[in-house]
Amino acid sequence: MTEEGKEKEAEAKKIVHTYPLIRHSDMAEEVKQEVMELVVTACEKHSANNEAAARMIKDQMDKKFGPPFHVVVGEGFGFEISYECKNLLYMFFGGNLAICVWKC
Amino acid sequence: MPPTTAAKKALVQGKTAKRAKTSAQRIDQEDDLEEWKRSKQLAKPKDQLELTDAELKESIARVLTTTNPQQPDSLVEYNHKVGEFVVLPTTGNLVVVFERIGTYIHKDSEEAREQLIAQGIDPSAFDQTTEAEDEISTQMETIGEVETTDEEKHEEEGEDDHDKEEEEEGHGDAAEGGDAEDEREDEAKGEEGEESVSKGPQKKLTNQFNFSERAALTYNNPVRCQETQTTPPPMATFSANVLQWVIYDAYIEDYAAQELEKLRERERKEKEKVPVSKHPAPEVKKPSGRAQLSEAVQGRVLECWKVLERMLNQNTYDEIAKDYRYWEDPSDEFRDEEGTLLPLWKFVYEKTKKNTVTDLCWNPWYYDLFAVCFGFLDFMKPSTEGAVCLFTIKNPSYPEHICMTDSGVMCVDIHPKYPYMVVVGQFDGNVLVFNVQATCKKPAFKSNAVVNKHTGIISEVKWAPDLPDGEMNFYSAGADGYINNWVLMQNELSVTTITTIYLDKDPVPGPDGTFVKDPVPGPDGTFVKVKGSASCITFHPKQKLIYLVGTEMGMIYKCSTNYSSMYLMTYKAHHKPIYRIDFNKYNDDIFISCSGDWRIKVWEDMRPEPLFVFDVGHCVGDVKWAPYSSTVFAAVTAEGKVYVFDLNVNKYKPICVQAVVSKRRNKLTRIAFNHKLPIIIVGDDKGCVTTLKLSPNLRIPCKAPKKQQYLDQWTLQCMKLEKLLSLVREPSTLTVPTDTASSQAS
């Protein structure tokens, strides 16, 4: 029994999902895709530096959609934010990163 | 000092003051310019020399002299008068650069005098005062105008050092002796001046340097505040906790959802593929029906049209539909033992108007659906094509299914288990099986036109119970005397001849006068047995092996599928072709037959004599037992009449005789009871099927006796029939048949 369970666990662990997974968003579809791509680019570029990634995302977002955007990139955090409607994206990426982008 | 010199000095002083003032102004301007320059970057000319700081600081002295080196010193001119050169005086160092004639006039000049006179001033008096006036004007400048004093001060500051300034201040306080004198003179003269001024203040001469600034203050518009407030953009709050396991779980969940989606997609694709792949190969078995349905003409559109058609029909046939549902002939109450038939819809298909209705068959599954065969019975005028149409009473205007055939269709049967399987027998001896659910355009099965088919008209086809391995099969009776069993194999029909009907006659010689050798040789070896022609066939409802065959010669043979060469029973029933044999729905031993010899006979199994004989005075095309009563049957005659009998009501006469179609033009050929509704359909030889509703008197249910209230309708019907039969079953010793004419008379 235990061995089987372990084997199953091992099998399950083999699958590591790294694709971007949008957890919550109220953006328009095109905007959402664009932001998602931006986030992916930033997180891949600054894979070791979340701060830099967040800054890059924020700067880009400010430029594209107008300030003020806020970005959180991290592996573990909690938040309660108030945001301007249609301007929130909460997604996971790379299997261990959570990115929250919102405008307020 | 003489007063004149003093006055002159004052004048000079005033003049210098003036000059100083102007220079001071210039300096002021220069100061401003300096400031302005400093704030601004100076543009350097391109060719300016680049000098070092030392060079720049170096002072270069430059002395300017008044002597003009270019000036000629000895100019001569030839004088013609004296006839010699004359030396001209030197022009001096003066060079006039600019010359302008001023507007000042010398006060002693004639012009000035005139002007003074014009202004009303005595020129002589003016001469005395002028000197003082100049002084006054300066005084007025210093005292009267603050600005001027300021300027003066500036000028003094800019021009001289402190001492000089003090000196100037002392100008009013008398610091030096000379100055004091000057002042005294000034005052003395000033008094005179004041007098002259007081004489005419308006006399003051215009002075272009007398500048006065004027300003006007306008009202400032009061400052007002105006504000607007826009609605803030909609906000919302969102909160979540990011933890590694939350992320992991989210991924797992999403992945599972994706997998599920993929699976569904695949299933859907497979489903889509199924009908496409199965379409070309027409299958016979029941699943095939459903698969082929999807292929049937553009499903949805067809459905819409059908709904529309149904709506139109409902409107068009609204009255008939109401009659069909609600109208019960009220006169039945007053007519004892008689009933009527109410004609309802007529079913006609345009293309088969010329054909005769050769068979009718209600669908055992859908009680509103029935099949109609279009063939021909008048063999002098054969029609080239036939059809099987499936009508529904919901749509009297057009058949639900149309199966066109290239030969007249003589008989039809619908499979009781698979109501979409329709078998038809044709005039040319072929049998066809249609799967109407799949397609009506071509038959699912067709007998081979050369080797396995009947060589005569097929008079009746009947589905048989499925074989043990599930294959469908049916029997057909043909005019060639063969009773065949057809099995629907994978792709073809396999045929077995069950029985051959031979006439009970002596063998006849062949066409050439010789006796042909028969497979079953008789005692003398050579003879031909004459084949009879089966005109109808019916199977026992319970014992599936037993069947009855009616022949053109009027014989009824009771046969079993197990025996091919002998009959279980032979009834000498009629003198003309038998058109129908039908088993009673309640009692399997009772069957009815009708024939072209105008008679309808009711038989009991194994009893050679009929129980009832009815003569209707015309060729009887069809007879059927009613499904709702054990004693009711209906028949149609070529005269165009429908006869309904109820043996329980009247053993001798029909309880209803009604002409349905015109006697002269139309013949009725077939009749069929609906097994659920109180309606019958009758077919005529003009391709028209008429629906008739049975009036209440024609379908009286059995009333249970008071002591046996618990009995159900079925038992009561059986009892009713049994009771009736016991009356007519005559002892075997008596052989007198109940012949129509005599029995009616008695």
Side-chain angles (χ1 to χ4, degrees):
Chain A
M1 266 294 279
T2 50
E3 279 182 2
E4 274 182 18
K6 276 180 186 174
E7 275 176 16
K8 274 184 185 173
E9 270 184 21
E11 275 178 10
K13 270 186 183 174
K14 276 177 193 169
I15 309 165
V16 178
H17 306 288
T18 57
Y19 58 86
L21 166 61
I22 291 181
R23 196 72 179 134
H24 180 85
S25 177
D26 58 354
M27 289 175 172
E29 196 54 42
E30 316 89 79
V31 179
K32 199 197 288 177
Q33 291 305 320
E34 198 178 337
V35 176
M36 196 180 83
E37 275 167 25
L38 169 62
V39 166
V40 169
T41 316
C43 288
E44 278 172 353
K45 194 176 176 187
H46 303 284
S47 53
N49 189 349
N50 289 345
E51 197 185 328
R55 178 167 292 281
M56 179 176 166
I57 296 166
K58 185 214 156 36
D59 287 348
Q60 293 283 336
M61 291 295 290
D62 281 353
K63 229 182 256 177
K64 277 182 184 166
F65 305 104
F69 268 94
H70 309 273
V71 179
V72 179
V73 179
E75 295 184 7
F77 57 91
F79 60 90
E80 163 122 13
I81 52 165
S82 57
Y83 63 96
E84 212 179 294
C85 285
K86 303 279 175 198
N87 282 296
L88 171 74
L89 179 82
Y90 174 46
M91 61 178 282
F92 296 152
F93 176 67
N96 63 344
L97 274 186
I99 297 106
C100 186
V101 181
W102 78 98
K103 184 180 181 175
C104 185
Chain B
M1 260 191 182
T4 48
T5 49
K8 271 178 188 171
K9 201 180 178 183
L11 194 72
V12 169
Q13 241 182 1
K15 277 180 181 171
T16 49
K18 264 189 187 172
R19 209 176 297 133
K21 196 183 93 181
T22 49
S23 67
Q25 276 176 343
R26 201 176 302 128
I27 286 161
D28 258 7
Q29 279 175 357
E30 269 171 11
D31 278 348
D32 287 347
L33 201 71
E34 285 293 318
E35 276 176 16
W36 178 73
K37 274 179 183 172
R38 245 175 271 136
S39 69
K40 216 180 154 190
Q41 282 285 351
L42 285 172
K44 278 184 182 176
K46 276 177 188 171
D47 52 349
Q48 188 172 330
L49 285 171
E50 288 291 328
L51 295 176
T52 59
D53 282 356
E55 281 173 326
L56 279 173
K57 277 175 187 170
E58 193 186 337
S59 56
I60 296 165
R62 210 173 256 197
V63 183
L64 300 175
T65 58
T66 53
T67 52
N68 184 358
Q70 258 97 41
Q71 191 183 3
D73 51 355
S74 50
L75 285 172
V76 286
E77 197 182 49
Y78 186 75
N79 194 335
H80 291 282
K81 192 182 175 184
V82 291
E84 62 183 356
F85 283 95
V86 179
V87 178
L88 289 174
T90 55
T91 50
N93 287 329
L94 180 75
V95 178
V96 178
V97 178
F98 175 70
E99 191 177 1
R100 190 185 169 192
I101 299 162
T103 54
Y104 280 8
I105 310 162
H106 197 269
K107 59 185 178 184
D108 292 337
S109 70
E110 196 62 24
E111 203 181 352
R113 281 178 68 87
E114 280 173 9
Q115 196 177 14
L116 284 169
I117 290 162
Q119 286 175 336
I121 302 164
D122 185 16
S124 56
F126 186 76
D127 281 338
Q128 293 170 352
T129 57
T130 42
E131 285 181 351
E133 233 173 62
D134 275 348
E135 191 59 29
I136 285 158
S137 69
T138 53
Q139 271 191 349
M140 276 175 76
E141 276 178 2
T142 46
I143 299 158
E145 290 181 357
V146 187
E147 245 180 67
T148 335
T149 354
D150 281 348
E151 275 173 16
E152 237 166 329
K153 271 183 183 172
H154 280 303
E155 141 213 319
E156 279 149 17
E157 276 167 17
E159 199 177 19
D160 299 315
D161 49 0
H162 245 328
D163 297 358
K164 205 100 188 245
E165 198 182 317
E166 278 173 7
E167 196 184 280
E168 272 296 320
E169 281 172 3
H171 177 76
D173 295 347
E176 274 180 36
D179 283 343
E181 279 181 359
D182 282 358
E183 212 191 2
R184 250 175 280 130
E185 275 199 2
D186 279 356
E187 280 174 2
K189 294 283 174 184
E191 281 168 10
E192 281 179 79
E194 274 169 19
E195 281 172 28
S196 67
V197 167
S198 63
K199 271 184 197 170
Q202 72 272 43
K203 271 181 266 167
K204 194 186 171 190
L205 287 172
T206 51
N207 181 2
Q208 62 177 328
F209 300 110
N210 187 5
F211 171 75
S212 74
E213 191 182 34
R214 288 189 191 173
L217 193 64
T218 56
Y219 282 110
N220 284 329
N221 283 327
V223 178
R224 279 186 296 178
C225 288
Q226 198 169 20
E227 2 182 281
T228 54
Q229 206 163 30
T230 56
T231 50
M235 304 288 278
T237 55
F238 177 65
S239 64
N241 274 309
V242 181
L243 297 159
Q244 282 305 300
W245 54 87
V246 171
I247 296 176
Y248 180 79
D249 287 352
Y251 270 109
I252 294 295
E253 195 181 303
D254 185 69
Y255 187 71
Q258 280 182 7
E259 289 295 305
L260 197 68
E261 186 59 34
K262 273 182 199 167
L263 199 70
R264 275 187 195 151
E265 185 74 14
R266 211 177 302 139
E267 277 175 4
R268 211 177 45 133
K269 273 186 182 170
E270 273 171 17
K271 265 185 194 170
E272 276 174 1
K273 272 182 192 172
V274 166
V276 177
S277 65
K278 282 198 176 174
H279 159 234
E283 281 198 20
V284 209
K285 297 280 150 57
K286 38 187 172 173
S288 69
R290 222 164 289 138
Q292 287 182 346
L293 181 68
S294 63
E295 163 258 346
V297 203
Q298 294 87 38
R300 267 191 77 78
V301 181
L302 192 69
E303 210 169 280
C304 293
W305 281 106
K306 279 197 170 173
V307 170
L308 200 65
E309 190 183 30
R310 175 79 68 85
M311 285 160 69
L312 288 172
N313 279 321
Q314 274 181 356
N315 289 336
T316 317
Y317 298 99
D318 184 44
E319 271 180 40
I320 295 179
K322 288 206 173 105
D323 281 351
Y324 150 74
R325 190 78 183 80
Y326 302 111
W327 199 82
E328 306 286 6
D329 196 346
S331 61
D332 268 25
E333 283 181 38
F334 312 105
R335 267 197 305 240
D336 221 13
E337 303 180 349
E338 274 184 23
T340 55
L341 295 168
L342 172 71
L344 300 172
W345 308 277
K346 276 187 195 309
F347 298 87
V348 183
Y349 178 44
E350 203 59 37
K351 284 186 185 170
T352 57
K353 257 188 164 175
K354 286 174 187 168
N355 294 49
T356 307
V357 175
T358 50
D359 205 0
L360 295 170
C361 180
W362 284 96
N363 191 304
W365 196 270
Y366 304 103
Y367 60 84
D368 60 323
L369 194 69
F370 59 92
V372 182
C373 290
F374 294 102
F376 54 93
L377 292 173
D378 188 352
F379 304 122
M380 304 304 288
K381 292 183 274 183
S383 78
T384 50
E385 59 177 13
V388 182
C389 294
L390 274 84
F391 285 96
T392 169
I393 56 172
K394 289 170 186 165
N395 181 5
S397 55
Y398 199 78
E400 195 81 359
H401 301 281
I402 305 158
C403 309
M404 295 302 288
T405 58
D406 49 3
S407 177
V409 178
M410 303 309 290
C411 50
V412 68
D413 196 25
I414 300 172
H415 200 285
K417 229 161 125 190
Y418 314 117
Y420 48 87
M421 297 303 285
V422 177
V423 61
V424 299
Q426 284 184 300
F427 183 78
D428 62 1
N430 278 318
V431 288
L432 308 174
V433 180
F434 285 97
N435 183 344
V436 292
Q437 205 170 31
T439 177
C440 286
K441 292 202 173 90
K442 55 175 187 172
F445 292 92
K446 191 177 182 192
S447 62
N448 190 304
V450 180
V451 284
N452 55 356
K453 68 164 202 170
H454 284 277
T455 50
I457 303 163
I458 296 180
S459 50
E460 193 145 16
V461 285
K462 287 282 175 203
W463 282 104
D466 287 356
L467 295 177
D469 51 353
E471 282 160 322
M472 288 187 271
N473 67 101
F474 62 90
Y475 292 93
S476 68
D480 56 354
Y482 290 108
I483 310 296
N484 284 351
N485 181 28
W486 306 79
V487 181
L488 279 64
M489 308 295 276
Q490 193 64 35
N491 287 317
E492 52 166 15
L493 285 168
S494 78
V495 63
T496 321
T497 302
I498 303 296
T499 313
T500 313
I501 308 291
Y502 291 106
L503 287 182
D504 196 13
K505 269 187 177 176
D506 290 336
V508 293
D512 53 352
T514 59
F515 289 100
V516 183
K517 198 156 180 80
D518 194 77
V520 189
D524 52 340
T526 54
F527 56 92
V528 171
K529 276 181 115 179
V530 182
K531 282 177 193 159
S533 67
S535 57
C536 60
I537 184 172
T538 187
F539 278 80
H540 195 279
K542 295 259 171 65
Q543 301 165 11
K544 295 299 179 187
L545 298 176
I546 308 296
Y547 61 94
L548 298 172
V549 181
T551 65
E552 295 275 351
M553 303 305 289
M555 308 293 274
I556 296 174
Y557 298 106
K558 184 184 178 186
C559 311
S560 167
T561 51
N562 285 352
Y563 307 104
S564 63
S565 57
M566 60 179 288
Y567 313 125
L568 301 177
M569 177 77 183
T570 305
Y571 305 89
K572 289 181 179 171
H574 295 273
H575 305 297
K576 282 200 138 192
I578 297 171
Y579 292 129
R580 182 72 82 197
I581 302 169
D582 194 31
F583 275 100
N584 190 284
K585 304 284 188 293
Y586 293 86
N587 192 331
D588 310 331
D589 289 341
I590 308 298
F591 61 90
I592 196 166
S593 69
C594 69
S595 162
D597 65 355
W598 304 5
R599 283 181 184 159
I600 300 163
K601 295 185 181 180
V602 180
W603 304 84
E604 190 175 22
D605 190 28
M606 301 310 279
R607 187 185 287 268
E609 297 300 327
L611 296 174
F612 297 94
V613 178
F614 303 96
D615 195 319
V616 293
H618 222 278
C619 174
V620 186
D622 199 0
V623 67
K624 288 276 174 72
W625 285 103
Y628 54 86
S629 170
S630 59
T631 55
V632 175
F633 60 89
V636 287
T637 64
E639 203 183 8
K641 283 182 179 169
V642 177
Y643 289 80
V644 182
F645 292 85
D646 190 344
L647 301 176
N648 194 38
V649 174
N650 194 328
K651 286 189 280 291
Y652 313 108
K653 281 199 284 187
I655 54 169
C656 173
V657 181
Q658 193 164 326
V660 175
V661 290
S662 110
K663 192 174 170 183
R664 248 187 285 165
R665 277 178 292 161
N666 294 27
K667 290 178 189 169
L668 286 182
T669 53
R670 292 294 187 189
I671 187 169
F673 276 93
N674 189 301
H675 43 84
K676 191 172 175 185
L677 307 168
I679 56 173
I680 53 172
I681 45 174
V682 293
D684 65 20
D685 64 346
K686 292 287 184 288
C688 176
V689 176
T690 311
T691 319
L692 301 165
K693 184 177 180 178
L694 300 157
S695 72
N697 270 3
L698 302 180
R699 46 188 167 95
I700 305 163
C702 280
K703 276 180 192 161
K706 279 176 187 170
K707 286 179 185 174
Q708 294 166 306
Q709 289 291 343
Y710 53 89
L711 293 173
D712 62 350
Q713 195 63 222
W714 177 269
T715 326
L716 289 171
Q717 290 286 358
C718 291
M719 283 169 63
K720 179 173 77 174
L721 184 61
E722 200 55 45
K723 194 175 153 193
L724 187 73
L725 291 174
S726 62
L727 287 175
V728 294
R729 272 184 201 137
E730 311 223 351
S732 51
T733 49
L734 290 175
T735 53
V736 180
T738 53
D739 209 354
T740 47
S742 58
S743 63
Q744 273 174 13
S746 65

